[in-house]
Amino acid sequence: MTLSMQWLTMAVMLLSGLGMGTVFDGYRVVTNELKFPRWWLPVLDVIYWMAAALVVFRVLYASNNGEVRAYVFIGLAIGIVIYYFLFSRMVIAAVKWLIGAVRKLISFVLRCLDILIVKPLLLLYKMVLVIFAFGSALTIFILKIVIQLVRPFWKLFVWMVRPVTRPLGRGLSLYLSEWQAAERFSKMGQLIARLWSKWFRR
């Protein structure tokens, strides 16, 4: 392996160390800001280190066909140390600002939806209820007025047809009473005939 390729590999590993530090601080800030449960942190750490190892090995394979030498670890260590001394605070501040901006954007969108959609729908619903209540009250009021106006005509009609309905009702009741009496006499005659045939026809 040539010297230039070794220096190139070391530079790539240095950048990989910077990237590892950036991703580590980023995901730590996100988990703290979003209040992840504490039992998730070990799981996320394992996932992070597995992903970091795969990425570093892929970069190393692309730079020097996957040869592991001492300068590979030296480059990673230098990159991580440079990151934590020079860029860690800036990255943490930038990630926190980004999370705050996203939260404000979501709050703004929800507020716009509330003002433009939710509140008009609630206002329309209340207006429909008011109109329905007013229409119901008006209908009941008009119905009462109509009943009051029709009542004298109804009383007049009842007074006019009363002489006709009284004989009809009396005749109907008389017919029913006669029919019931005839039915009783018929039953009594049948009973007498049965007794006669039972006692005198032996």
Side-chain angles (χ1 to χ4, degrees):
M1 182 181 292
T2 62
L3 185 62
S4 61
M5 185 175 288
Q6 291 179 2
W7 282 107
L8 177 63
T9 303
M10 190 171 180
V12 170
M13 290 297 103
L14 189 146
L15 293 176
S16 299
L18 292 174
M20 288 174 60
T22 303
V23 174
F24 185 78
D25 276 346
Y27 107 83
R28 279 292 189 180
V29 172
V30 170
T31 54
N32 288 332
E33 291 292 326
L34 298 182
K35 307 298 181 184
F36 273 60
R38 290 188 176 275
W39 62 271
W40 267 100
L41 296 180
V43 178
L44 293 174
D45 287 340
V46 171
I47 294 173
Y48 164 77
W49 286 112
M50 290 176 62
L54 289 174
V55 171
V56 169
F57 179 76
R58 185 71 181 90
V59 172
L60 182 63
Y61 184 80
S63 62
N64 67 351
N65 295 323
E67 294 185 9
V68 180
R69 301 289 178 86
Y71 57 83
V72 173
F73 299 103
I74 293 173
L76 280 175
I78 292 173
I80 293 172
V81 170
I82 291 174
Y83 169 78
Y84 278 107
F85 277 101
L86 297 180
F87 302 110
S88 180
R89 292 182 181 178
M90 290 188 296
V91 170
I92 291 173
V95 174
K96 287 183 177 180
W97 178 85
L98 184 61
I99 293 174
V102 171
R103 284 177 173 173
K104 289 181 180 179
L105 179 62
I106 294 173
S107 177
F108 176 75
V109 171
L110 292 177
R111 190 170 182 181
C112 289
L113 291 175
D114 182 63
I115 294 174
L116 297 176
I117 297 177
V118 177
K119 287 186 177 179
L121 289 177
L122 289 176
L123 181 62
L124 180 63
Y125 174 72
K126 290 180 180 179
M127 289 179 61
V128 169
L129 288 181
V130 170
I131 293 172
F132 181 75
F134 177 75
S136 301
L138 182 62
T139 303
I140 294 172
F141 178 72
I142 294 174
L143 185 62
K144 287 182 178 180
I145 293 177
V146 171
I147 292 173
Q148 293 296 328
L149 292 175
V150 171
R151 182 176 291 179
F153 297 100
W154 173 255
K155 288 183 177 181
L156 179 62
F157 175 75
V158 171
W159 179 76
M160 290 175 63
V161 300
R162 186 176 295 172
V164 179
T165 56
R166 279 183 179 177
L168 181 61
R170 290 177 181 176
L172 182 61
S173 61
L174 181 62
Y175 172 76
L176 289 175
S177 61
E178 290 177 355
W179 180 77
Q180 290 175 355
E183 187 177 3
R184 289 177 183 175
F185 280 121
S186 175
K187 289 182 178 180
M188 188 177 295
Q190 291 177 2
L191 180 61
I192 292 172
R194 288 177 183 175
L195 293 175
W196 178 268
S197 62
K198 185 178 179 180
W199 289 346
F200 296 101
R201 291 183 181 180
R202 291 186 180 178

